[in-house]
Amino acid sequence: MIKTIYIEKQIANHPRTREILARFPDTTQIYCDRYGEIFNRKAQSFRLQKKQPALILAKKHKGFVLPAPEAYGIGAKENYYFSHMMNCLYDCRYCFLQGMYRSAHYVLFVNYEDFANEIENKIQKTDEEIHFFSGYDCDSLALEPVTNFLEYFLPIFRKHHKTLLEIRTKSTQIRTLLNTEPFENCVLAWSFTPDEIAAALEHKTPSVERRIEAIAKLQEKGWHIGLRFDPLIYSSEYQSQYRKLFADTLQRCNPELLHSVTLGSFRLPKGYFKSLQKMYPDERLFSSPLEETNGMFGYKAQIQSEMLNFCRKEILNYIPEKIFFPCHDIL
Amino acid sequence: MIHIICALKCEAKSLIAHHRLKVCAESASFPLYMSQDKQMSLTICGIGKINAAAATAFTHAFLQTGKQDIWLNIGIAGHKNLDIGKIIIAHKIVEQSTQQSWYPQILFSPLCRSMEVLSCDHPATDYTDTVFSDSIFEMEAAGFYATACRFATSELIHVVKIISDNQQHQADKISASFVAGLLKDKLEIIEQLITSLRQLAKDLDSPNETPDYYGQIIEKWRFTHTQRNKLKSCLNRWHVLCPDKNPMKFLDGCLQSKEVINQITNKLDMFPICF
């Protein structure tokens, strides 16, 4: 539950700000000049703040739409991501956000209009198919009742058939989606790890079963679904755990509405990895057989390769190769 | 450990009595009191932000304070119309002279209201001055907070003020015994705050600087500085994956430090990772 809201003075009167503040009349509301005064300060503990994150309402000034990291794509040449929020309701131990940000508070950029303009600009500039990803610096849906992200952004993409919007999430906040007419060029993508791993590492997230139920409801409504087995987490039992996960998810998905399946290994930039290891010294994940290659920490090459090959083989038992996007060059 | 900074002896009196703090004779620069178990210190800094900053830095240097220590500035403050005796925790501190701001992170449910604190360079006398807006005003918070943030994490650094003067009861009517009484009346709330912060501090783990078996191993083999760090990292990993096993058992045949590290790493990579 949000107890404190910081508000940048310059967006204090933005209609979205007023709407959000009205929803939380009992919170402590504190005004600031720029969100960085709180979010970027040194001497903060991400781990402690995660116990009681505050909401920061801010204005984004630049970098509304950014090129997606390499190997993040699902078929298009032009890939961009945009983040209306920074940080996430959930607390996944492998998440790079913990290493990237000093603060665990949620920053919500309320000037959606500026994001929309930039998205429109990118679309106008090309005749190529262009993919946009949401959910890179936050979970796209987890705070939907507060952000109304879908209500604003879905209509923008609905009218541009040559674009594709991927909304990545672990959330089961699907009410808005169930009340919205689906459209072809929108993919709702859920991330999964096996039950046991999710229970150990994906704190505060809906269970795998609840995510599958949400997917089933949305497919019934006609939405296109993506499955993201990313990051792959190694355990001594990974083969049986992932075999079960693939059966649970892929078998229960309507193949006609399954847009794509991706696979990605666990990897973190060295600096982020070191921060996380320091933050959670007793976390088993960080004591796994990992190694550093070119400034990135990941599983030792042999383990990684074995896992990716195993998972690839298993996944292809259920789906055609054309909708499978392994996000690593080892395969 | 908890470190309390108070401007005046009368603000500290009831805390000293309650926690049975004893004056530390070795502290020459600022009067510093310690609890018997050495888990709490209280430093009297004198009035103003420079004194507060200096006393905070002194306390850090004198006691070699740690990143997980708790820091509190407790004292009196004024407000245009808040009731005398009202206790406030700061959620924003503004330094009046520079307009620089800090935002203490309140990650617990305090038994008192939170407000903005304005740190002034001079005692304020005009309670109706619009510069104070709805802030409470005092003279130490900015100096204390900015300095303490260099030594600890901001979630464990807080400023607590008790209203001693307002438009109806102005600062010139304050006496030392009156201030001591105000603080004494709020001890329970202050204690609750300390309990909440202690609980929070417990959740701040940090890697063990001297993991189990580290001492034994570096006595037996010669390690360079870099190798020692690597060894610590391996032994911390060992502690997570197999705390019940003794790594020494696997090191008998090792002649050099490099072999020790390789042997431990190889063993670690073979331990099952179970989720």
Side-chain angles (χ1 to χ4, degrees), chain A residues 2 33 37 52 57 64 74 127 144 148 185 199 214-215 218 262 268 309 317:
Chain A
I2 291 163
D33 289 324
E37 289 180 290
Q52 184 62 67
L57 302 177
F64 299 102
I74 44 173
D127 290 328
E144 180 59 19
N148 287 326
N185 53 317
I215 289 173
L218 289 165
T262 66
L268 279 172
N309 284 317
N317 287 333

Side-chain angles (χ1 to χ4, degrees), chain B residues 228-243:
Chain B
R228 282 181 183 217
N229 285 337
K230 203 156 187 186
L231 178 66
K232 278 181 191 172
S233 159
C234 285
L235 290 174
N236 277 324
R237 214 178 135 204
W238 188 280
H239 172 74
V240 174
L241 294 180
C242 43

Side-chain angles (χ1 to χ4, degrees), chain A residues 94-315:
Chain A
Y94 50 74
C95 180
F96 72 99
L97 296 177
Q98 304 167 100
M100 188 162 80
Y101 299 139
R102 287 179 173 157
S103 168
H105 296 328
Y106 316 130
V107 180
L108 174 66
F109 297 113
V110 297
N111 51 326
Y112 291 178
E113 300 73 16
D114 294 322
F115 285 89
N117 286 340
E118 188 69 20
I119 289 167
E120 294 279 0
N121 283 344
K122 291 273 188 270
I123 295 169
Q124 300 310 328
K125 275 184 191 161
T126 182
D127 290 328
E128 297 279 332
E129 189 184 358
I130 179 167
H131 288 183
F132 292 90
F133 296 86
S134 162
Y136 187 69
D137 295 326
C138 63
D139 184 286
S140 302
L141 300 187
L143 269 178
E144 180 59 19
V146 178
T147 63
N148 287 326
F149 164 79
L150 294 173
E151 194 183 302
Y152 185 86
F153 283 96
L154 288 184
I156 294 168
F157 289 93
R158 187 187 291 275
K159 63 186 181 197
H160 292 294
H161 304 290
K162 282 188 96 174
T163 67
L164 182 127
L165 169 66
E166 176 183 305
I167 295 171
R168 191 175 285 199
T169 188
K170 289 190 181 89
S171 173
T172 50
Q173 291 279 3
I174 55 169
R175 194 179 301 167
T176 308
L177 291 164
L178 291 174
N179 294 329
T180 306
E181 212 39 56
F183 55 102
E184 281 293 316
N185 53 317
C186 179
V187 178
L188 310 170
W190 265 263
S191 314
F192 285 100
T193 57
D195 278 316
E196 300 82 351
I197 294 170
L201 300 178
E202 295 179 355
H203 307 289
K204 302 181 189 171
T205 58
S207 66
V208 169
E209 183 55 33
R210 285 187 55 211
R211 286 179 234 176
I212 296 171
E213 283 167 13
I215 289 173
K217 283 183 195 162
L218 289 165
Q219 283 204 319
E220 215 167 281
K221 176 87 183 163
W223 286 98
H224 290 276
I225 299 297
L227 298 178
R228 308 290 174 246
F229 301 109
D230 184 3
L232 283 182
I233 301 293
Y234 173 77
S235 89
S236 305
E237 305 293 318
Y238 84 86
Q239 295 199 353
S240 59
Q241 290 171 340
Y242 274 95
R243 192 176 284 131
K244 180 176 181 302
L245 177 67
F246 298 143
D248 286 347
T249 49
L250 294 163
Q251 242 169 20
R252 285 163 69 181
C253 267
N254 172 357
E256 280 172 25
L257 287 170
L258 184 58
H259 174 273
S260 52
V261 175
T262 66
L263 191 61
S265 48
F266 170 66
R267 67 277 180 201
L268 279 172
K270 185 182 175 183
Y272 297 176
F273 176 80
K274 292 283 177 197
S275 302
L276 287 179
Q277 202 180 32
K278 213 170 159 186
M279 209 185 305
Y280 298 103
D282 290 330
E283 177 53 65
R284 223 170 306 156
L285 173 67
F286 307 129
S287 293
S288 302
L290 302 164
E291 66 183 1
E292 186 202 336
T293 315
N294 300 327
M296 296 291 279
F297 264 87
Y299 290 116
K300 292 194 167 174
Q302 195 194 342
I303 291 178
Q304 184 164 285
S305 166
E306 271 174 27
M307 279 187 86
L308 286 164
N309 284 317
F310 170 81
C311 292
R312 174 196 166 95
K313 224 183 252 177
E314 287 291 318
I315 288 170

Side-chain angles (χ1 to χ4, degrees), chain B residues 57-212:
Chain B
F58 167 77
T59 306
H60 164 69
F62 187 72
L63 298 175
Q64 295 291 299
T65 67
K67 280 270 175 209
Q68 285 135 312
D69 286 3
I70 294 163
W71 288 83
L72 289 173
N73 168 220
I74 300 175
I76 54 168
H79 186 268
K80 62 184 173 197
N81 54 19
L82 276 179
D83 289 342
I84 303 298
K86 186 116 186 142
I87 183 166
I88 301 292
I89 185 166
H91 62 219
K92 179 175 181 179
I93 299 162
V94 181
E95 186 176 40
Q96 191 192 18
S97 57
T98 61
Q99 286 301 301
Q100 201 180 339
S101 303
W102 294 267
Y103 299 83
Q105 304 294 305
I106 304 171
L107 304 182
F108 48 90
S109 301
L111 291 177
C112 58
R113 184 176 162 190
S114 71
M115 282 183 75
E116 180 175 316
V117 168
L118 186 71
S119 266
C120 308
D121 286 347
H122 305 287
T125 47
D126 182 2
Y127 294 86
T128 56
D129 193 331
T130 51
V131 77
F132 299 131
S133 176
D134 196 36
S135 309
I136 64 169
F137 41 89
E138 52 77 81
M139 296 175 70
E140 289 81 33
F144 159 78
Y145 196 85
T147 310
C149 279
R150 293 175 182 270
F151 311 133
T153 187
S154 64
E155 296 79 12
L156 301 178
I157 307 169
H158 287 281
V159 169
V160 177
K161 298 286 164 179
I162 295 158
I163 301 300
S164 59
D165 50 292
N166 59 24
Q167 222 169 323
Q168 274 73 48
H169 185 277
Q170 304 209 348
D172 53 4
K173 292 178 189 155
I174 298 173
S175 67
S177 60
F178 174 71
V179 171
L182 285 178
L183 268 292
K184 193 176 178 189
D185 288 348
K186 298 299 171 194
L187 265 183
E188 204 179 315
I189 296 177
I190 293 170
E191 287 310 305
Q192 183 267 351
L193 170 73
I194 290 173
T195 306
S196 302
L197 287 169
R198 276 193 170 132
Q199 196 56 45
L200 203 58
K202 273 188 198 161
D203 292 325
L204 258 187
D205 283 355
S206 64
N208 191 352
E209 277 305 305
T210 47
D212 297 342

